[in-house]
Amino acid sequence: KNKKDVVSGGMMVKRGNILAGGIFLLIGLCLLKVAMAPHEMLFADPNAMHIMTYPKILIFIWIGASVLYLLGPRDENDWYDFKKARIQLGKVLLCIVAYVFTFEYIGLFGSTLLFLLVFFWIMGYRNKLTVPVAVMVALLAWLSFEKLLGIPMPRPFFLALL
């Protein structure tokens, strides 16, 4: 048995998997702490959803996926070489953290668009469809929450200056 292997549920799991899952879980918990902090309400209706409802939903999904990743069964060949991909993983994590923090300042559409453009660039998706796809997904997210579900999303800070 290799020193880097750990037995989990009778199956071999590489320590890199445990480390990656633990890092994702820790980051999710830190983001949840930030999202749960009091934020100024941008609308007068006390029955309206809070501006951080959408990020909280995403963070709970993140935490759930991290826990499932840590607890889920794997076969011996299902492992990820964490050392080879840690720079790429760090870039993606930074991109996700930036998305959560920019959400309140540049709104759902702006933060989603920025996130997708940076994420596509980091992942190497650079073709003529990248920008239109990012715009369409950001617009669809905004329309879904603002118009379809009626959930007010934060407005970009610069709109208050106009």
Side-chain angles (χ1 to χ4, degrees):
K1 182 162 63 166
N2 188 338
K3 287 183 180 181
K4 294 183 179 181
D5 297 340
V6 176
V7 177
S8 174
M11 298 184 164
M12 302 297 283
V13 178
K14 299 289 182 182
R15 286 187 183 167
N17 284 15
I18 295 170
L19 181 61
I23 289 171
F24 274 102
L25 182 59
L26 182 64
I27 290 171
L29 292 172
C30 291
L31 290 174
L32 183 62
K33 183 178 188 249
V34 170
M36 297 301 262
H39 292 85
E40 181 181 330
M41 298 295 281
L42 299 176
F43 39 89
D45 185 3
N47 297 322
M49 294 183 87
H50 192 270
I51 61 172
M52 294 302 285
T53 300
Y54 175 64
K56 286 178 193 174
I57 292 169
L58 292 178
I59 292 168
F60 278 116
I61 291 170
W62 172 311
I63 291 170
S66 299
V67 169
L68 288 175
Y69 181 77
L70 282 171
L71 301 178
R74 294 173 191 54
D75 64 25
E76 193 171 323
N77 298 318
D78 182 23
W79 67 280
Y80 191 68
D81 190 352
F82 186 71
K83 286 185 179 180
K84 288 183 181 175
R86 65 181 168 213
I87 293 174
Q88 188 77 356
L89 180 62
K91 289 177 184 177
V92 170
L93 289 175
L94 188 62
C95 189
I96 293 169
V97 169
Y99 176 69
V100 171
F101 283 106
T102 60
F103 188 84
E104 189 173 352
Y105 302 103
I106 60 174
L108 174 65
F109 179 79
S111 60
T112 303
L113 179 62
L114 182 64
F115 167 77
L116 289 172
L117 291 174
V118 173
F119 180 77
F120 288 158
W121 183 75
I122 287 171
M123 297 306 291
Y125 301 120
R126 299 176 190 140
N127 60 42
K128 62 184 179 180
L129 293 177
T130 302
V131 173
V133 166
V135 169
M136 293 301 291
V137 169
L139 185 60
L140 183 63
W142 180 80
L143 285 172
S144 296
F145 281 92
E146 284 279 343
K147 301 301 179 189
L148 185 64
L149 297 174
I151 301 171
M153 292 288 119
R155 305 281 184 257
F157 70 93
F158 51 84
L159 288 182
L161 303 173
L162 299 176

